[in-house]
């Protein structure tokens, strides 16, 4: 009987040690909040002419512009695409090598505390953007009289990245150094974002 109790005790202690070791190896990465300023997204053409030119690729994991296939979203002029789904059909559109997707949340940036349900996330497809380009349902408003682009506050883009992490982003401005007085300053993005580097964790706080 004593031997049986001893064996049970040893098994229990072994289980506790293994469990503690597994918990010790589980590292929770801190959530990151950053502002990106003057991310240049030039394009050729426009104003009724066909658009072309390379997209500016951005990785939330890297926190910067990238040139390889490790991008989550990409910018060219006013257009934003995601590294998932299929090509829209644009000239010079980069290959979609990932499975990223995005969802739009209309709310105050700080009040978006977690990513929405999976069914809200969309990808680009042939002739269809994940971020709709319908007037009044995009991240910006264009004033035809002044030709000024204004970012729509409360238009939050939540991205599921190519690595399965989540980020929320709000575009604040479309002009270099926030100066909209000169049209030549356009196509420079400033945006705030919060990135959770823990795979599958939808929290932003």
């Amino acid at each position: 009987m004593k031997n049986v109790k001893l064996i049970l005790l040893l098994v229990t202690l072994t289980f506790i040690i293994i469990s503690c070791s597994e918990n010790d190896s589980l590292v929770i990465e801190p959530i990151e909040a950053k502002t990106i300023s003057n991310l240049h997204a030039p394009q050729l053409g426009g104003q009724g002419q066909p658009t072309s030119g390379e997209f500016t690729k951005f990785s939330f994991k890297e926190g910067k512009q990238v040139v390889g296939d490790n991008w989550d979203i990409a910018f060219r002029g006013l257009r934003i695409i995601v590294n998932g789904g299929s090509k829209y059909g644009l000239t010079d559109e980069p290959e979609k090598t990932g499975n990223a997707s995005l969802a739009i949340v209309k709310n105050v940036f700080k009040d978006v505390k977690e990513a929405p349900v999976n069914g809200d996330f969309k990808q680009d497809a042939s002739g269809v953007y994940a971020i709709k380009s319908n007037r009044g349902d995009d991240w910006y408003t264009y004033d035809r009289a002044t030709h000024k682009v204004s970012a729509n506050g409360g238009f939050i883009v939540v991205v599921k990245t190519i690595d399965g992490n989540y980020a929320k982003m709000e575009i604040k401005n479309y002009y270099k150094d926030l100066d909209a007085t000169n049209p030549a300053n356009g196509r420079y993005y400033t945006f705030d974002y919060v990135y959770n580097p823990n795979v599958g964790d939808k929290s932003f706080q």
Side-chain angles (χ1 to χ4, degrees):
M1 188 67 178
K2 290 182 178 180
N3 288 339
V4 173
K5 289 182 178 180
L6 181 59
I7 291 172
L8 289 174
L9 179 60
L10 290 173
V11 170
T12 301
L13 288 174
T14 301
F15 177 77
I16 292 172
I17 291 171
I18 292 174
S19 297
C20 290
S21 298
E22 290 177 347
N23 289 335
D24 289 342
S25 64
L26 182 62
V27 178
I28 304 299
E29 300 284 346
I31 293 173
E32 304 167 8
K34 292 182 67 175
T35 296
I36 300 296
S37 299
N38 295 332
L39 181 70
H40 194 198
Q43 75 172 26
L44 302 174
Q47 299 296 324
Q49 300 299 316
T51 59
S52 61
E54 291 188 10
F55 278 76
T56 299
K57 302 173 183 176
F58 186 84
S59 165
F60 289 102
K61 180 178 181 179
E62 299 294 332
K64 62 182 181 180
Q65 180 180 347
V66 295
V67 296
D69 293 333
N70 59 326
W71 58 284
D72 300 308
I73 58 175
F75 307 79
R76 188 177 73 188
L78 293 167
R79 181 47 45 206
I80 302 172
I81 61 173
V82 64
N83 190 2
S86 57
K87 287 187 175 183
Y88 180 91
L90 303 170
T91 302
D92 299 323
E93 187 175 359
E95 295 295 329
K96 302 295 186 74
T97 59
N99 193 35
S101 56
L102 57 83
I104 304 303
V105 178
K106 303 289 185 67
N107 203 343
V108 178
F109 186 68
K110 68 179 180 61
D111 290 341
V112 180
K113 301 183 184 302
E114 65 179 21
V117 297
N118 294 338
D120 289 348
F121 284 81
K122 309 295 181 186
Q123 295 178 320
D124 296 325
S126 178
V128 180
Y129 293 114
I131 297 181
K132 297 178 181 179
S133 56
N134 298 332
R135 192 174 301 170
D137 192 24
D138 211 331
W139 67 265
Y140 68 93
T141 297
Y142 176 70
D143 189 321
R144 292 184 178 277
T146 63
H147 304 292
K148 181 180 178 181
V149 173
S150 300
N152 293 328
F155 189 96
I156 313 304
V157 181
V158 180
V159 180
K160 184 176 183 180
T161 72
I162 59 172
D163 300 305
N165 300 321
Y166 290 91
K168 66 173 181 176
M169 173 184 76
E170 184 177 30
I171 299 168
K172 309 297 288 186
N173 204 281
Y174 185 65
Y175 295 93
K176 187 176 182 180
D177 299 328
L178 312 182
D179 180 8
T181 60
N182 184 352
N185 287 339
R187 301 170 181 166
Y188 286 85
Y189 283 81
T190 293
F191 58 88
D192 296 332
Y193 78 85
V194 174
Y195 170 67
N196 189 331
N198 302 290
V199 177
D201 186 354
K202 292 187 172 186
S203 176
F204 294 127
Q205 57 181 351

